[in-house]
Amino acid sequence: MAFVILDPCRGEKAGECVSVCPVDCIEEGPDQFYIDPDVCIDCGACKAVCPVSAIEEEYDLTPSQEKYLEEAEEFFANR
Ligand code: SF4
Ligand code: SF4
C-alpha cells in the first residue's frame, strides 16, 4: 500500500509534503510531486499537510485516478 499524489498538485508544487515525510520518499517530477510507492510507509503525514487535498490512499483511488499511481511507479523506476 502507498499514498498517491493526484493532479491537484500540478502547478501547486509548494512541497509541504516533502518536508514532513519521515522516509523521504516524495520527489518533484516535471509537472507534480510523486510518492515512491515502494518506500512509503503509509503514515499519512503528507496527506494531512497538503493544501489542495491532492494526496489519497492507494485503496481509495477511483479507476480514473489509478493512472497517477502508475505514473509514480514509472517516475521512480526510470530515474
Ligand atoms: S503538499 Fe500537496 S500540492 Fe504541495 S507538493 Fe505535496 S502533494 Fe503537491
Ligand atoms: S504517507 Fe507518510 S511515508 Fe508515505 S509519502 Fe506520505 S508522509 Fe511519506
Side-chain angles (χ1 to χ4, degrees):
M1 290 301 303
F3 278 64
V4 181
I5 299 177
L6 308 175
D7 60 332
C9 178
R10 293 182 185 228
E12 199 278 339
K13 299 209 326 179
E16 294 92 330
C17 53
V18 176
S19 58
V20 300
C21 179
V23 292
D24 198 23
C25 71
I26 307 175
E27 294 191 19
E28 186 172 4
D31 300 318
Q32 66 167 79
F33 282 67
Y34 290 111
I35 293 169
D36 187 339
D38 291 332
V39 180
C40 175
I41 59 170
D42 302 328
C43 72
C46 55
K47 180 178 169 75
V49 300
C50 179
V52 293
S53 301
I55 305 178
E56 293 292 345
E57 291 185 69
E58 181 180 341
Y59 62 73
D60 284 336
L61 297 182
T62 66
S64 66
Q65 291 171 333
E66 287 176 2
K67 65 184 178 186
Y68 296 103
L69 176 59
E70 293 166 12
E71 280 186 18
E73 289 169 338
E74 287 175 15
F75 176 74
F76 287 99
N78 294 325
R79 285 182 318 149

